[in-house]
Amino acid sequence: MDTAMRLNTPVLDIEFSLGDGKTIVSTTDLQGNITYANTYFVEASGYTESELIGKPQNILRHPDMPATAFKDLWQTIKAGLPWRGLVKNRRKSGEYYWVMANVTPVIENGQAIGYMSVRTDSQARSEERRVGKECRSRWSPYH
């Protein structure tokens, strides 16, 4: 597990929009190294599957995210509890995307063997985009 801030570059001020209704799923070992990445995780991250597997989950860490958020995440999941929070991730290209992350320990025979993370587009961001599109279409001089 790496709670230290990782310097991930490049960093661009361009948001990558996640697909509505799509879910990012990954698993890690107890140290936070990626052991599984679903197809949408690969797509959203901009990395290939082989670039993700075996790498620390914080390969996606955006420098705007406070270290205290990840400290809280690790303290919570190491205690055997689920964690939920809004996370800004960095794609390989440097673009960013927001997710609502749900992280939980994977338990076998009463012992944690790793962690599973299920991430979706945050509802607030989805609603913001929906309202923005509606306003643009309603008040655009070109419709």
Side-chain angles (χ1 to χ4, degrees):
M1 140 197 65
D2 180 9
T3 57
M5 287 305 289
R6 177 186 182 100
L7 179 60
N8 291 327
T9 56
V11 176
L12 304 174
D13 192 24
I14 300 170
E15 184 172 9
F16 174 80
S17 294
L18 295 178
D20 286 339
K22 293 194 175 183
T23 302
I24 296 169
V25 179
S26 62
T27 59
T28 68
D29 61 20
L30 293 172
Q31 291 72 45
N33 297 309
I34 300 167
T35 56
Y36 168 77
N38 75 342
T39 303
Y40 194 58
F41 181 24
V42 172
E43 181 183 333
S45 73
Y47 289 92
T48 65
E49 183 178 18
S50 63
E51 288 175 311
L52 292 170
I53 301 300
K55 299 295 187 297
Q57 180 76 30
N58 70 9
I59 192 172
L60 303 170
R61 187 171 291 174
H62 194 283
D64 287 352
M65 284 298 299
T68 54
F70 297 105
K71 181 179 179 184
D72 179 64
L73 178 150
W74 279 106
Q75 286 176 338
T76 302
I77 62 177
K78 284 176 70 179
L81 301 169
W83 183 90
R84 178 180 166 96
L86 189 62
V87 176
K88 184 177 186 179
N89 283 332
R90 186 196 65 85
R91 301 183 79 224
K92 182 179 180 179
S93 65
E95 297 167 297
Y96 68 91
Y97 60 98
W98 289 96
V99 293
M100 181 54 68
N102 298 277
V103 185
T104 189
V106 176
I107 307 294
E108 277 188 17
N109 300 319
Q111 296 291 316
I113 60 162
Y115 304 102
M116 175 180 276
S117 179
V118 177
R119 297 168 311 278
T120 56
D121 190 12
S122 71
Q123 282 188 335
R125 303 293 297 171
S126 292
E127 182 66 9
E128 180 182 303
R129 282 194 291 275
R130 184 192 67 74
V131 170
K133 286 178 186 175
E134 183 178 305
C135 288
R136 281 190 299 276
S137 68
R138 178 177 287 175
W139 291 292
S140 170
Y142 304 108
H143 81 262

